[in-house]
Each structure stands twice: as C-alpha cells, then as structure tokens.
Amino acid sequence: MIAVLQWATLTLCLMCAAWRLPAAFKGRNAGLFWAFLLLSVAVGLSLPSIYLPADALLGGRNLANLAVRFALYAIFYILAAKLAGAYRAAHGQRLIRGPVGVSVLVLIAAGTLVLFLLSDLPVSSTGLAAYSDQPTVRAYALAGRLYPAYAAACLLRPSAHAALTAGRRIERAAAALICSSFAMVLALTALQVASLPVFLLIDLFAYGAIVCMAVGLALVWISLWSTGNGSACRPLARE
C-alpha cells in the first residue's frame, strides 16, 4: 500500500513540476517549479529502486539521504515564503524570511549535517532503516522534521483563516488542502518526537501532506487562470 502511495505521490509531483516548467522558462514564478522538482527528488529517493542506485553514484555512504533533508528544507522555505505572501500573513513572512526564520533554518541545517557526519553509515540504506539503532541517526531523523514543522506552524493559522474566509469556493478548498498539509506535517513531527511505533500512520501523514500541498497549489493555479490572475492568491503567480 505504501509503495503504491509513494509512486502515486512521485507521479503527482513530476506532473506539477512539468506544469510549472513553461512558466519557469518565461521567468514567471520559477520558485514553484524548483519546489516541485525538489519535492520529486525527495519523494523519488524514498523509493529503494531509486535511492540505492542514486546513492551508489554518490559513493554508497547515504549522501543521498542528506540530499533529501536539504531538499526538504529548501522546499519548505520556498513554499512557506510564497504562501505567507499569498495569504498576506506579515507575521508569518517575518518568521520565515526574517532574521529569526533564517537563523532557525541555518541552525537546523548545521545540526543536521553534524549529526550525519557523526553517524556510522558505511552502506546504502533507504531511509537509513539499517541504522535506526544509532542515537545519532535517530537525532538526525528528528532534526530533519524540525524545519518543516517550524514552517508549517508559521503558516497553519493563515491558511486556516483563508480556508474559512476566501471569497471563492475553489480558493477555500485550496487553502483547506494546504492547511491540512501543514497540520499533517505537525502531526508527523509530534509522532516522531513521541517515538510512537505507528509507522504506517507516519507514512500516510508524510505522503498525504505532499499530495494535499500539490493539489492545493494546483487549485490555486486553476483559480488564478479562471479569474485572469484576479484571485486573492495572486502573489503565488508572481516571482
């Protein structure tokens, strides 16, 4: 079941990246294209059939897993900054793009790198499953959840407010999906912090959050297209 969800999520992310490619070539909102492309990379590297040969090309010491972590940090920074502007969340925008947000990102990224270097990871293992008994690997996995959770917490309230108050039904639906994505990211982090053995639920939250975000952004684009970019979420259409 999880494998089917993984492949379906990867297909959706690749479709979204392809959808944004023409606009990116024209210099319009290239950030969303790169976010979807990085998301495709992150989801693809969660699949053993992609992760193992990709990591082998990098030396077979799980550098591909580290690449996934940093790709996710970039994705959440790009999307959170854009959504904060779209929902006119000035406070959220400061928490993402201001000194506090940048400091949080740098500290978490540095901690992630240090924990990775302290871990003994001699052989490729998808999701580092073969090394889950190492304290540094468990701390590394938890660190990888922190920045996405921080960005989700900054945008949860503005997206929920838009889901209730946006003028058009399609905009409310888009905001509700995006809000659901952020809520699942926070729930996923809480489960990992609590070390609960609910691996199926963790996977469902992880891939469900990606699907909700991708579909929500697609609905935003449809709204923009149908109104000639007159939507309240017009900032998402700009660079």
Side-chain angles (χ1 to χ4, degrees):
M1 174 183 173
I2 294 300
V4 172
L5 181 58
Q6 288 173 311
W7 281 106
T9 305
L10 176 59
T11 300
L12 178 62
C13 292
L14 289 170
M15 289 173 61
C16 288
W19 149 58
R20 294 306 311 166
L21 184 59
F25 271 130
K26 296 175 183 177
R28 296 202 309 267
N29 206 7
L32 274 183
F33 165 74
W34 288 111
F36 281 126
L37 185 62
L38 289 171
L39 200 52
S40 301
V41 171
V43 175
L45 289 176
S46 70
L47 294 158
S49 57
I50 297 176
Y51 180 87
L52 295 176
D55 193 61
L57 290 174
L58 296 174
R61 298 184 65 86
N62 293 293
L63 285 173
N65 190 279
L66 185 63
V68 169
R69 302 296 176 183
F70 282 93
L72 287 172
Y73 298 160
I75 290 162
F76 273 86
Y77 178 81
I78 292 169
L79 291 180
K82 287 187 172 293
L83 287 166
Y87 294 134
R88 296 178 175 84
H91 182 62
Q93 206 160 29
R94 286 194 299 272
L95 289 175
I96 296 297
R97 304 182 70 172
V100 172
V102 173
S103 297
V104 168
L105 176 56
V106 170
L107 286 173
I108 291 175
T112 301
L113 179 59
V114 169
L115 289 166
F116 179 85
L117 294 175
L118 290 175
S119 301
D120 183 23
L121 309 169
V123 180
S124 296
S125 173
T126 309
L128 304 186
Y131 307 107
S132 59
D133 58 333
Q134 294 185 35
T136 53
V137 171
R138 291 196 294 270
Y140 166 81
L142 179 58
R145 302 289 187 195
L146 293 181
Y147 186 74
Y150 172 81
C154 291
L155 273 297
L156 184 66
R157 183 177 176 182
S159 58
H161 179 74
L164 295 173
T165 62
R168 304 177 67 216
R169 184 178 299 175
I170 191 171
E171 292 172 6
R172 293 195 299 273
L177 284 166
I178 291 169
C179 181
S180 298
S181 176
F182 289 141
M184 281 187 274
V185 169
L186 291 170
L188 175 64
T189 305
L191 289 174
Q192 189 152 1
V193 169
S195 299
L196 297 177
V198 284
F199 303 112
L200 178 60
L201 188 59
I202 287 172
D203 285 337
L204 288 174
F205 277 153
Y207 295 104
I210 295 170
V211 170
C212 285
M213 180 61 71
V215 176
L217 291 173
L219 289 180
V220 169
W221 178 83
I222 292 171
S223 174
L224 293 168
W225 175 78
S226 66
T227 60
N229 288 350
S231 164
C233 288
R234 187 173 180 177
L236 279 175
R238 298 198 295 262
E239 182 60 42

